[in-house]
C-alpha cells in the first residue's frame, strides 16, 4: 500500500534525524506520524545508554516519550534546547514550512524557536514548489470573537477560512484555542503573510514556519537525502 510505503520512508528519515543527537543533549520532540518514529529511535538510544532529556510539543508526544523511556523537562522550565526535530505538512524550496495539521503548531513553534538547531523530517510528497494549494494554512485563534478574527483573515488573504471541527464541535488545541484552516492557492510571500496575520487581534499563531529550518531530511524511494539550509 502507498500509505505503508510512505510511512516506511518517514521511519527511515526519522531514524537518520536521530543520528544528530549526542549524549547530554536537550531535544525538542515534535508531534505527528514522523515524530513518532523519531521518538522510538531516540528511545533505543536511551536504552543503549545515551543520556538526553526531551521537551514535548504535545500531550501525545509526552506520552510516547515516557513509553520510550525518554526523561522530560517540565513545561515551565526555561529550556536550553540543543536540537528540535519535527515533521511538516509542506516544505518549499526555501525550507519554509506549513505545519499544524495535527493541531500542535503553537507548542511546535515555541520549541522550534527555542532550539539551537531545528531539523525537519518529511517524506518526498511533502515537498512543494510553493506553499498552499493542496494543504490549508492552519491558524490558531482565541475562541472569543473567532468569527470576527476569521473575517479579518478572509479580508487579508482573500481566501476561504474554515473552522476546524472534531466530534461535532470546534477542535480545541491543548491551550484551549480554536484553529481555522485557510485555503490559499499560493503563498508567494510566506514571511510577509506570517507577519501580517500575527497583527490581527485574536490570532495566537500561524502554521507558517519561515526561515527556521536548519536541516531538512527527506525520505525518498531512492533513499534519505539530508540538505542543510543556507547560512542565515
Amino acid at each position: 500500500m502507498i500509505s505503508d510505503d510512505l510511512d516506511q520512508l518517514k521511519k527511515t528519515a526519522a531514524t537518520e534525524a536521530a543520528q544528530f543527537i549526542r549524549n547530554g543533549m536537550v531535544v525538542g520532540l515534535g508531534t505527528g506520524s514522523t515524530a513518532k518514529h523519531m521518538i522510538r529511535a531516540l528511545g533505543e538510544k536511551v536504552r543503549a545508554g545515551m543520556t538526553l532529556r526531551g521537551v514535548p510539543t504535545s500531550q501525545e508526544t509526552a506520552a510516547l516519550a515516557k513509553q520510550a523511556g525518554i526523561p522530560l523537562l517540565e513545561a515551565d522550565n526555561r529550556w536550553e534546547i540543543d536540537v528540535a526535530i519535527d515533521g511538516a505538512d509542506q516544505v518549499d524550496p526555501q525550507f519554509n514550512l506549513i505545519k499544524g495539521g495535527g493541531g500542535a503548531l503553537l507548542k511546535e513553534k515555541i520549541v522550534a524557536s527555542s532550539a539551537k538547531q531545528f531539523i525537519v523530517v518529511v517524506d518526498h510528497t511533502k515537498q512543494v514548489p510553493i506553499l498552499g494549494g493542496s494543504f490549508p494554512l492552519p491558524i490558531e485563534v482565541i475562541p472569543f470573537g473567532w468569527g470576527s478574527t476569521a473575517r479579518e483573515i478572509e479580508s487579508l488573504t482573500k481566501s476561504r477560512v474554515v473552522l476546524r471541527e472534531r466530534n461535532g464541535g470546534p477542535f480545541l488545541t491543548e491551550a484551549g484555542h480554536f484553529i481555522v484552516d485557510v485555503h490559499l492557492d499560493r503563498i508567494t510571500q510566506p514571511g510577509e503573510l506570517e507577519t501580517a496575520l500575527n497583527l490581527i487581534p485574536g490570532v495566537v499563531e500561524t502554521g507558517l514556519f519561515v526561515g527556521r529550518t536548519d536541516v531538512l531530511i527527506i525520505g525518498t524511494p531512492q533513499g534519505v537525502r539530508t540538505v542543510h539550509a543556507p547560512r542565515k
Side-chain angles (χ1 to χ4, degrees), residues 15-169:
T15 301
E16 179 67 23
Q19 304 310 309
F20 281 77
I21 306 307
R22 300 288 179 262
N23 194 59
M25 280 187 168
V26 175
V27 185
L29 305 174
T31 294
S33 57
T34 304
K36 289 178 183 178
H37 292 303
M38 178 267 298
I39 291 166
R40 294 189 184 108
L42 290 181
E44 291 178 5
K45 287 181 173 290
V46 170
R47 287 190 291 276
M50 177 178 282
T51 299
L52 61 87
R53 292 172 295 167
V55 178
T57 53
S58 66
Q59 293 173 4
E60 177 187 23
T61 292
L64 285 170
K66 289 176 182 177
Q67 289 174 12
I70 300 172
L72 300 179
L73 293 179
E74 295 297 326
D76 57 355
N77 276 11
R78 183 173 179 172
W79 313 303
E80 295 288 342
I81 299 175
D82 296 292
V83 179
I85 305 176
D86 209 344
D89 299 300
Q90 284 189 338
V91 54
D92 73 9
Q94 289 73 46
F95 291 21
N96 299 314
L97 317 173
I98 285 181
K99 289 178 54 55
L105 66 94
L106 177 59
K107 289 184 177 180
E108 288 173 338
K109 189 172 282 190
I110 290 171
V111 167
S113 66
S114 301
K116 297 173 185 174
Q117 186 178 48
F118 182 41
I119 299 175
V120 175
V121 183
V122 295
D123 67 76
H124 65 102
T125 66
K126 301 299 194 299
Q127 292 184 284
V128 294
I130 190 166
L131 298 178
S134 61
F135 199 90
L137 171 63
I139 300 178
E140 189 158 338
V141 301
I142 67 169
F144 178 80
W146 77 265
S148 295
T149 304
R151 186 173 63 241
E152 292 289 328
I153 295 170
E154 285 178 337
S155 178
L156 173 69
T157 63
K158 306 295 188 290
S159 300
R160 184 166 59 97
V161 178
V162 179
L163 178 68
R164 189 179 297 186
E165 296 185 348
R166 176 178 288 179
N167 299 325

Side-chain angles (χ1 to χ4, degrees), residues 165-183:
E165 296 185 348
R166 176 178 288 179
N167 299 325
F171 174 93
L172 279 180
T173 70
E174 291 183 7
H177 302 139
F178 291 171
I179 287 182
V180 294
D181 292 308
V182 186
H183 293 262

